[in-house]
Amino acid sequence: MAELVVVSDEQAAGALVADAIVSLIRRKPDAVLGLATGSTPLATYRALADRIGGGTLDVRGVRGFALDEYVGLPAGHPESYRAVITREVVEPLGLTPELVRVPNGDPATVEHAGADYEQAILAAGGVDLQILGIGRTGHIGFNEPGSSLASLTRVKTLTEPTRADNARFFDSPEDVPMHCITQGIGTILRARHLVLLAFGEAKADAIAAAVEGPVTASQPGSAVQLHPHTTVIVDEAAASKLENLSYYRHAWLNKPSWQGI
Ligand code: PGA
């Protein structure tokens, strides 16, 4: 079973995850972080920036791999995930820009960009801690329902609900790209620790399916059940459709504190 932690709000989740990342970086100064975009991980990045801000933690060797990128946005587009990762993660945390990779969504080279990205992750020794959000459709990364549980980084077609959800970042819904390049579910499962975050009622069905549903490509989030070290951190609203909630609370309350998440 994935560990499931219910927290009061996004800030509490961000604090938990930031503490885990700080402890990872202390153990391994060239740790490899798997970076999600979207609204969900922002509290984690802010909490991490606060912890690093004092200058007591050297993060110059920390490496990062983003989960996904749109295909076909012009270089430098403010909503490209390269730009988002630079703005929300690399700059506020003071990471070394050359050590943080994002899949290359340039249509001219996208045919081999997935294989190149897989190679780069392997060469880095794999991802130590992968931060994940989940879409209303159940996607992790941009692996929409039906994605192979063994998939690696490749081009995918976004579903219309996902394009509609992401339209808030663009001038008009039609501007949301149709295609993306995303780490596969198989890629994500190779990371050493998965941390899946979800907040709000709109994520409750996806979280219930991911944590308690059958493992199925129809609910990509359910792949986290295949991983030996997954931590799912949710607020009360996102937890509201879980059947075994009282047990998850009980297990968390009685967890030895030395274990961390
Ligand atoms: P969100 O997106 O964090 O903006 O809700 C999550 C996702 O689509 O994976």
Side-chain angles (χ1 to χ4, degrees):
M1 181 192 101
E3 171 169 61
L4 188 127
V5 186
V6 183
V7 292
S8 51
D9 54 23
E10 298 186 31
Q11 283 63 41
L16 261 185
V17 185
D19 285 345
I21 294 174
V22 166
S23 124
L24 168 66
I25 298 171
R26 287 202 200 289
R27 278 196 318 273
K28 184 177 177 186
D30 63 346
V32 181
L33 302 179
L35 303 166
T37 47
S39 309
T40 303
L42 293 179
T44 294
Y45 298 142
R46 291 199 189 107
L48 198 49
D50 287 347
R51 283 156 177 71
I52 292 169
T56 54
L57 189 66
D58 183 356
V59 295
R60 287 171 300 176
V62 171
R63 296 166 290 166
F65 286 91
L67 274 173
D68 42 23
E69 175 60 290
Y70 292 113
V71 170
L73 287 183
H77 189 291
E79 293 310 326
S80 71
Y81 285 168
R82 162 56 74 190
V84 171
I85 288 284
T86 300
R87 197 164 63 230
E88 307 286 0
V89 184
V90 174
E91 290 176 351
L93 269 51
L95 302 185
T96 305
E98 305 78 57
L99 297 183
V100 179
R101 303 268 306 244
V102 179
N104 187 343
D106 180 349
T109 53
V110 81
E111 219 173 306
H112 56 81
D116 293 349
Y117 205 63
E118 289 292 326
Q119 189 52 44
I121 295 173
L122 288 176
V127 170
D128 291 302
L129 186 150
Q130 175 66 59
I131 301 166
L132 295 169
I134 191 165
R136 276 192 303 148
T137 62
H139 71 207
I140 49 173
F142 268 145
N143 295 284
E144 299 284 22
S147 295
S148 158
L149 299 181
S151 51
L152 301 179
T153 307
R154 75 262 183 251
V155 172
K156 289 289 289 180
T157 307
L158 295 171
T159 60
E160 286 307 309
T162 296
R163 291 184 73 228
D165 281 347
N166 289 7
R168 68 191 194 277
F169 298 114
F170 291 83
D171 291 338
S172 89
E174 302 82 64
D175 291 347
V176 183
M178 190 64 74
H179 295 103
C180 63
I181 175 166
T182 180
Q183 285 191 31
I185 297 175
T187 318
I188 291 168
L189 289 176
R190 287 178 183 165
R192 293 179 188 89
H193 182 191
L194 303 183
V195 178
L196 172 59
L197 301 163
F199 310 111
E201 171 69 31
K203 301 291 176 73
D205 285 321
I207 282 294
V211 175
E212 296 180 339
V215 174
T216 167
S218 300
Q219 284 290 339
S222 67
V224 301
Q225 296 177 44
L226 296 169
H227 196 283
H229 189 185
T230 296
T231 311
V232 182
I233 308 178
V234 291
D235 64 5
E236 295 285 349
S240 59
K241 299 202 172 156
L242 290 164
E243 284 187 7
N244 281 326
L245 191 51
S246 60
Y247 175 65
Y248 308 140
R249 292 192 206 275
H250 173 73
W252 176 246
L253 276 174
N254 290 291
K255 183 171 183 172
S257 59
W258 57 265
Q259 283 185 335
I261 59 169

